[in-house]
Amino acid sequence: MIGKGRQTRDGIRIYQEADFAGMHTAGALAARILDEIAEHVFPGQTTGEIDRLIEEKVDAAGATSATIGYRGYKHASCISVNNVVCHGIPGAPIPKSKDETISKDLEKRRADDVLKDGDILNIDVTVIVDGWFGDTSRMYVAGRADKKAERLIQVTHDSLMKGIEAVKPGNTFGDIGHAIQTYVESHRMSVVRDFCGHGLGRVFHSPPNVLHYGRAGSGPRLEEGMFFTIEPMVNLGRPETVVLADEWTAVTRDRSLTAQFEHSVGVTATGVDIFTRSPAGKFHPTQG
Ligand code: MF3
Ligand code: CO
Ligand code: CO
């Protein structure tokens, strides 16, 4: 049974059974936009144009972008290419990859925002529909990615699903993080510590911080009616990140390749409800 308007001791809001419908509507729109944007990702395309198309789709649906105007952010998406961990700014010059690096200067960037063959990118979209937030992201490839990149994308995707499998009443948030970390490290990759998932619902970011690493049994206990995101960032190299001078773009400190997937989910009486499931069954880029 879900209590009325309750909050846990950790400040986590417990939503009502009727609230799941609002989250499904918002989540489905965000997921559909990610489905539809896939055909617009190719070598020669710009991240600025991809974002423009996303904003157009949000508007066409009569929804609102949650990111435009959020803490001074100006875009309908974050587009994070290659060594950008998260919060990549569409239209901004893409930071240089390790193999392109001539200077050690972390601010050195490519000349423009044009995608090239083999680039991998995360596109993260958050929409508001009738006051409910849908927040989801996936990986895309411009052209063909190499084996290493494909493996990183696969492991990151599967780590999110491992985390989601740990969502049920009685488990803890630590169980989610533990499932993700164990899986990722078993593949000799690393989990980013500097960014986490978050509660959402009627607000964009609320308690708790959903860590993608941790000890089994630690953290707050999961209860029916909790809504939050799980959004692991996984690096081929070290877990550390650096934020560039634009104060948004987070890159891997060692410039290694990185990937991320994100779902918005709700805890049900028996398990989990995924709000941002792809309507077209396209969540994984290489599994259709
Ligand atoms: N969608 C991101 C998240 O997963 C947040 C982006 S905030 C922005 O929480 F301002 F950078 F867009
Ligand atoms: Co999020
Ligand atoms: Co997001």
Side-chain angles (χ1 to χ4, degrees):
M1 271 284 286
I2 296 176
K4 252 207 157 40
R6 199 161 66 78
Q7 261 195 18
T8 68
R9 280 184 310 185
D10 307 286
I12 304 168
R13 174 139 179 212
I14 305 297
Y15 286 94
Q16 308 294 301
E17 204 153 330
D19 298 337
F20 281 73
M23 290 300 283
H24 269 291
T25 306
L29 174 62
R32 178 163 65 80
I33 291 171
L34 290 188
D35 283 351
E36 291 175 359
I37 210 65
E39 66 183 271
H40 300 286
V41 177
F42 48 80
Q45 175 66 291
T46 65
T47 61
E49 173 64 9
I50 293 171
D51 182 70
R52 194 192 63 72
L53 290 162
I54 289 170
E55 185 172 350
E56 212 170 76
K57 289 173 187 297
V58 174
D59 291 346
T64 306
S65 163
T67 53
I68 297 174
Y70 178 77
R71 299 188 180 196
Y73 195 79
K74 294 185 173 64
H75 310 276
S77 63
C78 295
I79 303 183
S80 304
V81 184
N82 294 336
N83 55 14
V84 178
V85 172
C86 62
H87 303 161
I89 301 173
I94 295 166
K96 278 192 183 301
S97 293
K98 216 176 177 184
D99 56 0
E100 291 175 288
T101 304
I102 305 147
S103 158
K104 285 205 160 27
D105 182 2
L106 281 174
E107 310 301 320
K108 265 280 181 295
R109 294 176 171 221
R110 286 188 200 185
D112 50 35
D113 68 333
V114 179
L115 296 171
K116 64 172 174 48
D117 187 42
D119 281 348
I120 66 167
L121 51 146
N122 174 278
I123 303 180
D124 190 337
V125 172
T126 311
V127 297
I128 313 170
V129 180
D130 296 332
W132 296 101
F133 285 70
D135 184 5
T136 183
S137 81
R138 294 180 209 163
M139 294 302 293
Y140 299 81
V141 178
R144 277 186 64 105
D146 66 22
K147 270 267 151 52
K148 258 184 14 247
E150 281 290 353
R151 221 172 70 83
L152 170 66
I153 291 171
Q154 184 75 52
V155 168
T156 307
H157 170 269
D158 293 349
S159 79
L160 168 59
M161 300 323 283
K162 295 279 178 198
I164 289 174
E165 281 170 26
V167 177
K168 59 175 175 212
N171 274 5
T172 69
F173 280 94
D175 291 328
I176 299 172
H178 181 75
I180 293 167
Q181 181 181 15
T182 306
Y183 186 76
V184 167
E185 292 178 355
S186 78
H187 290 273
R188 274 170 265 96
M189 298 177 192
S190 68
V191 174
V192 169
R193 270 54 160 184
D194 302 337
F195 300 92
C196 54
H198 49 91
L200 88 171
R202 286 259 180 220
V203 287
F204 196 172
H205 293 109
S206 62
N209 287 331
V210 181
L211 307 183
H212 305 114
Y213 61 94
R215 266 186 8 259
S218 69
R221 209 156 278 286
L222 296 166
E223 291 180 41
E224 183 182 1
M226 288 180 175
F227 296 166
F228 52 89
T229 72
I230 309 179
E231 47 184 300
M233 286 140 275
V234 173
N235 300 348
L236 280 183
R238 302 274 314 159
E240 293 81 9
T241 69
V242 180
V243 176
L244 300 184
D246 60 28
E247 294 184 351
W248 283 106
T249 312
V251 298
T252 51
R253 201 181 66 186
D254 63 7
R255 292 314 180 97
S256 65
L257 215 53
T258 181
Q260 177 180 29
F261 282 86
E262 174 176 25
H263 266 316
S264 298
V265 305
V267 183
T268 66
T270 54
V272 65
D273 198 357
I274 303 176
F275 299 130
T276 45
R277 247 197 182 116
S278 161
K282 269 188 180 174
F283 189 62
H284 192 280
T286 57
Q287 289 179 347

